[in-house]
Amino acid sequence: MTVLKKPLITEKVSELNEKGKYGFVVEKTANKVEIKRAVEKMYGVTVDKVATMRYQGKDKSRFTKARVISGRTASFKKAIVTLAEGDVIDFYGNI
């Protein structure tokens, strides 16, 4: 599981799941071909299309009694995978 880090479970991606699209957080250096192969190997489905996007980390600050703590969230790469007609990935099957 070096290419796929984790599936995205958000409201927006859950709406896309009904259309046959699934979201994953992937390795920053992974390209579309590697992502396609990893999804097909792990879930046993046929992938039609892969869309990728990179997100920059956000600046965050927190006020404490002693001082202001500033930091940054991690940047990541997201992939939206469109499956072939009739293929489904069940994330909740093992729960």
Side-chain angles (χ1 to χ4, degrees):
M1 235 175 91
T2 58
V3 175
L4 300 176
K5 290 186 176 180
K6 64 181 179 177
L8 287 172
I9 311 294
T10 61
E11 289 183 23
K12 210 177 236 189
V13 174
S14 296
E15 288 179 15
L16 291 175
N17 289 351
E18 298 169 3
K19 300 176 186 176
K21 297 181 180 184
Y22 296 87
F24 296 94
V25 176
V26 296
E27 187 67 34
K28 290 181 193 177
T29 59
N31 60 26
K32 293 181 181 186
V33 176
E34 293 171 343
I35 295 167
K36 179 180 177 179
R37 286 186 194 143
V39 171
E40 287 177 345
K41 182 180 177 185
M42 178 169 272
Y43 295 104
V45 294
T46 305
V47 175
D48 278 345
K49 191 168 83 170
V50 177
T52 60
M53 54 214 87
R54 296 181 70 144
Y55 284 91
Q56 188 69 27
K58 295 181 182 179
D59 291 325
K60 298 282 186 173
S61 60
R62 186 174 62 187
F63 297 96
T64 63
K65 288 182 180 179
R67 61 189 169 109
V68 176
I69 300 173
S70 297
R72 190 169 187 86
T73 60
S75 58
F76 62 97
K77 187 173 189 177
K78 181 168 84 171
I80 302 295
V81 177
T82 304
L83 300 183
E85 188 79 24
D87 283 342
V88 176
I89 296 175
D90 185 20
F91 293 129
Y92 306 108
N94 297 333
I95 296 177

